[in-house]
């Protein structure tokens, strides 16, 4: 089958979502270790982003800059306003100033535990792009929804809602992460066929709404208990362009293996 994706979309993006793990000292040690494990050859073929907690970002940025590392700096979350009386929130413009490239929006943990709605996710996606960063917009179904045969309805509904107000060009430069909620942190992974099916459905829905060029340029990650032992089969799927890795991104050896095998 002819590959309908652009060269940029075919270059995998492996993202490590540390969630609420590692203080800034631990973060610096991790990045230094990872830099020994992943060489220029590896990073010539795969993009690797690291998403530490907010309190670590400045430290990680300093290491990346000082050692000229090729890792992209990421964040796990942000607010959609640039400023305001919003105690505890972090504005996307602050992240942009720190050299953050990728920001996760609508992770299922944010949606389920912190009440993030589709509408908020759409505003975050817009705010992240307004500051010239790349959103990684997460979508995914619960086990109940999967068992009720509602996977596509749920996932495509979230895709549609999250892309509200975006132009074809803006969608083309985004990342969407398909993360079945029942596979996150559970050790259960969607089969590579299942992952492919849903990722292909996402690309088709984007093509229908924004055109084939946007759909071909968009990168789609799979996430949910990705490990070194499962990445190769996932990445070999036609519509899987990378992985959002949680638990396995906390071990530099395992994460480096995932990045190498994810090329
Ligand atoms: P997991 O997390 O790899 O631990 O399942 C993935 C994620 O939540 O992004």
């Amino acid at each position: 089958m002819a590959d309908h994706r652009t060269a940029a979309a075919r270059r995998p993006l492996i993202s490590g979502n540390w969630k609420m793990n590692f203080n800034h000292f631990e973060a610096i040690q991790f990045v230094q270790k990872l830099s020994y494990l992943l060489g220029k050859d590896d990073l010539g073929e795969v993009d690797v982003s690291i998403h530490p907690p907010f309190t670590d970002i400045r430290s990680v940025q300093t290491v990346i800059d000082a050692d000229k590392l090729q890792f992209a700096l990421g964040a796990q979350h942000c607010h959609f306003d640039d400023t305001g009386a919003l105690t505890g929130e972090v504005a996307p413009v602050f992240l942009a100033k720190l050299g953050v490239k990728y920001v996760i929006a609508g992770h299922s943990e944010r949606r389920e535990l912190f009440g993030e709605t589709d509408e908020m996710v759409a505003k975050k996606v817009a705010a992240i792009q307004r500051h010239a960063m790349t959103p990684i917009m997460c979508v995914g179904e619960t086990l109940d929804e999967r068992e009720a045969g509602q996977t596509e309805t749920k996932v495509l509904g979230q895709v549609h809602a999250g892309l509200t107000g975006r132009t074809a060009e803006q969608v083309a430069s985004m990342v969407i992460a398909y993360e079945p909620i029942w596979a996150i942190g559970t050790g259960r992974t969607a089969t590579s066929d299942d992952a492919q099916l849903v990722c292909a459905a996402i690309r088709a829905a984007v093509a229908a709404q924004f055109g084939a060029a946007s759909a071909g340029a968009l990168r789609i990650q799979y996430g949910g208990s990705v490990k070194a032992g499962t990445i190769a089969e996932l990445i070999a799927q036609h519509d899987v362009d990378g992985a959002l890795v949680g638990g396995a991104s906390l071990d530099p050896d395992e994460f480096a293996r995932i990045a190498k095998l994810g090329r």
Side-chain angles (χ1 to χ4, degrees):
M1 188 168 44
D3 199 334
H4 47 266
R5 299 170 305 165
T6 62
R10 284 198 305 272
R11 185 181 162 88
L13 172 63
I14 305 291
S15 303
N17 173 15
W18 290 357
K19 309 193 181 188
M20 200 171 75
N21 292 285
F22 295 158
N23 61 42
H24 68 289
F25 293 117
E26 294 164 331
I28 291 170
Q29 280 174 353
F30 180 105
V31 174
Q32 284 170 337
K33 174 133 200 231
L34 193 65
S35 72
Y36 296 122
L37 295 167
L38 284 177
K40 280 214 167 62
D41 287 357
D42 303 311
L43 296 167
E45 289 180 36
V46 62
D47 289 334
V48 172
S49 68
I50 298 167
H51 300 250
F54 285 136
T55 49
D56 303 0
I57 290 181
R58 173 71 172 140
S59 308
V60 172
Q61 181 220 13
T62 307
V63 178
I64 287 178
D65 280 3
D67 297 347
K68 299 197 172 42
L69 305 179
Q70 287 176 44
F71 307 134
L73 190 54
Q76 301 174 16
H77 159 67
C78 67
H79 197 268
F80 42 81
D81 284 337
D82 286 349
T83 180
L86 295 158
T87 303
E89 286 298 313
V90 170
V93 63
F94 304 161
L95 299 174
K97 272 266 182 253
L98 283 167
V100 166
K101 182 155 196 270
Y102 297 96
V103 187
I104 299 172
H107 190 281
S108 63
E109 285 152 17
R110 302 288 326 169
R111 292 179 189 260
E112 292 199 325
L113 304 172
F114 302 99
E116 248 175 55
T117 62
D118 279 341
E119 198 193 352
M120 288 159 78
V121 174
K123 284 185 180 175
K124 284 178 194 209
V125 166
I128 293 161
Q129 290 201 312
R130 191 163 67 241
H131 294 289
M133 298 179 291
T134 302
I136 299 181
M137 184 178 86
C138 300
V139 296
E141 81 287 3
T142 63
L143 190 56
D144 283 354
E145 288 161 345
R146 165 159 289 244
E147 285 171 351
Q150 291 165 358
T151 300
E152 279 201 15
T153 314
K154 169 75 180 294
V155 167
L156 300 186
Q158 286 179 323
V159 169
H160 181 74
L163 299 182
T164 304
R166 300 292 81 205
T167 64
E169 204 185 5
Q170 287 165 333
V171 172
S173 66
M174 282 185 56
V175 180
I176 293 181
Y178 167 54
E179 297 207 300
I181 295 169
W182 49 270
I184 296 178
T186 58
R188 294 181 59 180
T189 322
T191 64
S192 48
D193 286 350
D194 273 346
Q196 163 57 24
L197 237 105
V198 180
C199 291
I202 292 172
R203 206 182 298 278
V206 169
Q209 195 179 348
F210 295 95
S214 294
L218 170 81
R219 287 202 280 193
I220 305 178
Q221 293 179 316
Y222 169 80
S225 297
V226 171
K227 306 224 165 11
T230 54
I231 184 68
E233 209 184 313
L234 286 162
I235 209 77
Q237 301 303 313
H238 201 250
D239 286 287
V240 178
D241 310 319
L244 183 52
V245 186
S249 77
L250 300 178
D251 173 352
D253 293 295
E254 175 81 0
F255 188 57
R257 272 197 295 277
I258 293 174
K260 282 172 192 283
L261 292 164
R263 295 193 286 176

